[in-house]
Amino acid sequence: FFRTVPSDGLQAKAIAALVKSQGWSKVALLTINAAYGLGLVQKFTNESNYQRIKILGNQIYSEGQEDFSLQI
């Protein structure tokens, strides 16, 4: 069996659609400092610009980090 993961672009569109469906126009991001998180946030940033969703901030955290008090 193989596991297929949707592309960052497809996930970004789905997340933007979720944001819009909730009636939100502004979001803040918390992104893992790894290829998965950084790639997705780049695609989401592009999609959010297209969808007129304002990103108020993007805090990046390290893999394995347990304390997020600096990001909040």
Side-chain angles (χ1 to χ4, degrees):
F1 294 97
F2 294 95
R3 179 178 158 212
T4 302
V5 178
S7 69
D8 288 344
L10 184 59
Q11 290 184 66
K13 287 182 181 189
I15 295 167
L18 174 66
V19 168
K20 294 297 254 185
S21 75
Q22 296 299 311
W24 303 331
S25 60
K26 300 174 188 173
V27 296
L29 308 177
L30 184 60
T31 306
I32 190 166
N33 190 11
Y36 177 77
L38 298 174
L40 180 56
V41 80
Q42 180 182 14
K43 295 291 186 180
F44 179 74
T45 298
N46 294 340
E47 186 64 25
S48 65
N49 288 334
Y50 178 74
Q51 295 286 339
R52 299 193 193 313
I53 299 167
K54 183 174 183 175
I55 297 175
L56 300 175
N58 179 24
Q59 293 295 310
I60 298 174
Y61 68 94
S62 299
E63 195 167 346
Q65 184 174 336
E66 295 180 7
D67 180 4
F68 295 95
S69 57
L70 293 176
Q71 284 80 13
I72 298 178

